[in-house]
Amino acid sequence: MTNGKLSSKDILKLINKKAGRTIAFTGDQENPADIRDWIPTGSRWLDSIICRGKLAGIPVARCTEIAGLESSGKSYMAGQIAREAQKKDIKVLYFDSESTMSKEFLEKLGCIMEGDNGIIIIQPDDIEQVLETMETLMGTDPDTRYLFILDSLAMTPCRADLEKDFNPQSSMAQMPRVLSLGMKKLVVSLSRTQSTFLVLNQLKTNINTSNPMMMLSQPWFTPGGKAMTYAYSLRIWLTGLRSKKTFIVDECGFQVGSEVKAKLEKSKFGTQNRICNFKILWGSDEVGILNDESLLTAIKSSNRLTNSGAWFTLEGHDTKFQSATFPKLMKTNEKFAKLVYDIIDEEVIRKFENKSGKAVDFYDEEETKESD
């Protein structure tokens, strides 16, 4: 204290003593609200568009939503995020409200299912049980980093739903009220324990008969109420590509996968409305996101990539290649893969950060045309 005034050190000491724990920080101290780590999504292109100026992923210590249409790859992406979290020694709890997440499925995605680091799968009765479990674990073991995955919010009832009949009017608006209170209690705990809440949700058609124009500008919405949309730091929406064939077929013509467009519907990291696309395999021995196959599209605007007909040439790589051989080169040629990653960092991360190039290369081309 100087001249009867409290110094910053005195103010911090007073506040933290009153709270019984450290809740106040100065600008030169490590703040729990700062993003110190990211969990890769399984798509290098998606990781490159999430945070302005850096390679990122799902933000640790925050709430993230992955919402999508049916069969758009939400559970596949969640499984791969769980796998990457395990590599960082983050304990994964998977709330399987839809009762569809099998051990075999997660093992195919590369997840560890046994031992102390194995994924714990929980079939919750209701959303209150999900929130209470999270609160209990973070309060009991604050030194462990958790990844809580809810699959899915749209299919998880609240207790009022279970206690009533099948009339939807009987428990109207109960779920948003529960979530509003729950997130008020949990967001600070997530930040303090460096734990992460990943919510899978459904995109549903926005049927607004009173305002048809709203249906055109906002064709989708997600269940759960407004409280969740405010709690999310990142919202990734998955839809199909309208201008391309969305299904992937094998050499015999059987459908084994699909192509998905990912849009950042909300981002607190300076990248809202950015898009990318990738392929997901679900009908073959190999399942999950095909990361390498999308990277050729990601670097198509680079001056370091030229093409003549079906053949491509990459600056720094002597041999011409075709799009069909690109994934194999990424897996077998380390020098080639490094060149591609360098170009992605330049074209997708640094050019957006510096606002160089054409804005249409970073956003949804169809939406850009509609706004012109």
Side-chain angles (χ1 to χ4, degrees), residues 5-139:
K5 293 184 177 181
L6 292 174
S7 65
S8 293
K9 184 177 179 180
D10 293 328
I11 293 173
L12 258 66
K13 185 177 180 180
L14 183 65
I15 294 173
N16 292 329
K17 183 178 180 180
K18 179 72 175 177
R21 59 183 178 84
T22 303
I23 64 169
F25 311 86
T26 58
D28 56 355
Q29 290 180 305
E30 191 175 74
N31 189 332
D34 296 334
I35 303 297
R36 301 198 291 270
D37 200 4
W38 307 81
I39 306 173
T41 63
S43 167
R44 172 65 181 253
W45 191 358
L46 179 56
D47 291 343
S48 298
I49 70 172
I50 286 175
C51 184
R52 193 182 196 102
K54 65 172 66 175
L55 181 66
I58 300 301
V60 170
R62 298 287 181 92
C63 301
T64 294
E65 176 191 58
I66 298 178
L69 299 176
E70 65 277 4
S71 302
S72 58
K74 301 181 291 296
S75 296
Y76 288 88
M77 184 174 290
Q80 295 200 201
I81 292 170
R83 178 194 67 198
E84 297 300 324
Q86 288 181 311
K87 294 178 182 178
K88 294 175 173 286
D89 292 325
I90 297 174
K91 188 66 179 177
V92 180
L93 276 78
Y94 203 113
F95 294 97
D96 182 20
S97 300
E98 299 183 359
S99 298
T100 58
M101 191 54 58
S102 68
K103 173 184 176 182
E104 291 74 20
F105 176 81
L106 289 170
E107 285 180 334
K108 268 192 171 184
L109 290 170
C111 295
I112 299 170
M113 299 304 298
E114 299 177 356
D116 193 50
N117 195 37
I119 294 178
I120 296 176
I121 300 177
I122 304 169
Q123 292 186 330
D125 295 324
D126 46 55
I127 192 64
E128 288 91 339
Q129 195 172 69
V130 173
L131 301 174
E132 289 164 359
T133 301
M134 292 170 58
E135 182 181 40
T136 299
L137 287 173
M138 289 187 289

Side-chain angles (χ1 to χ4, degrees), residues 30-318:
E30 191 175 74
N31 189 332
D34 296 334
I35 303 297
R36 301 198 291 270
D37 200 4
W38 307 81
I39 306 173
T41 63
S43 167
R44 172 65 181 253
W45 191 358
L46 179 56
D47 291 343
S48 298
I49 70 172
I50 286 175
C51 184
R52 193 182 196 102
K54 65 172 66 175
L55 181 66
I58 300 301
V60 170
R62 298 287 181 92
C63 301
T64 294
E65 176 191 58
I66 298 178
L69 299 176
E70 65 277 4
S71 302
S72 58
K74 301 181 291 296
S75 296
Y76 288 88
M77 184 174 290
Q80 295 200 201
I81 292 170
R83 178 194 67 198
E84 297 300 324
Q86 288 181 311
K87 294 178 182 178
K88 294 175 173 286
D89 292 325
I90 297 174
K91 188 66 179 177
V92 180
L93 276 78
Y94 203 113
F95 294 97
D96 182 20
S97 300
E98 299 183 359
S99 298
T100 58
M101 191 54 58
S102 68
K103 173 184 176 182
E104 291 74 20
F105 176 81
L106 289 170
E107 285 180 334
K108 268 192 171 184
L109 290 170
C111 295
I112 299 170
M113 299 304 298
E114 299 177 356
D116 193 50
N117 195 37
I119 294 178
I120 296 176
I121 300 177
I122 304 169
Q123 292 186 330
D125 295 324
D126 46 55
I127 192 64
E128 288 91 339
Q129 195 172 69
V130 173
L131 301 174
E132 289 164 359
T133 301
M134 292 170 58
E135 182 181 40
T136 299
L137 287 173
M138 289 187 289
T140 305
D141 187 12
D143 296 327
T144 296
R145 294 197 300 170
Y146 292 98
L147 169 62
F148 302 105
I149 301 175
L150 174 58
D151 186 1
S152 66
L153 178 59
M155 290 296 290
T156 306
C158 61
R159 284 175 188 163
D161 294 326
L162 300 176
E163 293 168 355
K164 302 292 183 179
D165 52 28
F166 287 97
N167 183 356
Q169 304 295 327
S170 300
S171 57
M172 181 178 289
Q174 288 293 321
M175 175 70 82
R177 292 167 62 186
V178 170
L179 289 170
S180 178
L181 176 59
M183 297 317 297
K184 287 176 185 177
K185 297 178 69 175
L186 292 179
V187 287
V188 173
S189 295
L190 289 167
S191 176
R192 189 176 70 250
T193 62
Q194 289 295 292
S195 296
T196 308
F197 190 21
L198 175 61
V199 178
L200 306 190
N201 212 343
Q202 298 175 5
L203 286 181
K204 297 191 174 183
T205 304
N206 187 7
I207 303 175
N208 192 328
T209 55
S210 62
N211 187 356
M213 292 303 296
M214 183 68 71
M215 295 169 60
L216 296 175
S217 61
Q218 298 178 3
W220 318 110
F221 78 97
T222 55
K226 281 289 185 181
M228 291 303 296
T229 64
Y230 286 113
Y232 297 133
S233 293
L234 177 67
R235 303 182 76 192
I236 303 171
W237 283 15
L238 305 178
T239 57
L241 294 177
R242 286 174 283 182
S243 59
K244 297 181 180 180
K245 293 181 179 179
T246 58
F247 287 106
I248 303 167
V249 297
D250 62 15
E251 60 275 7
C252 299
F254 290 95
Q255 295 177 1
V256 295
S258 53
E259 193 162 8
V260 176
K261 181 179 78 172
K263 177 183 177 183
L264 305 187
E265 182 68 17
K266 176 183 177 181
S267 171
K268 289 191 174 181
F269 313 108
T271 54
Q272 184 168 327
N273 292 324
R274 291 197 68 181
I275 63 165
C276 71
N277 60 273
F278 47 82
K279 297 176 180 179
I280 296 180
L281 277 184
W282 37 256
S284 63
D285 292 336
E286 179 186 358
V287 298
I289 296 173
L290 294 177
N291 174 61
D292 295 335
E293 280 74 358
S294 68
L295 300 186
L296 184 58
T297 305
I299 64 174
K300 65 180 181 180
S301 60
S302 174
N303 294 328
R304 297 168 64 182
L305 178 72
T306 58
N307 76 292
S308 178
W311 294 93
F312 292 87
T313 303
L314 187 66
E315 182 182 301
H317 181 71
D318 298 331

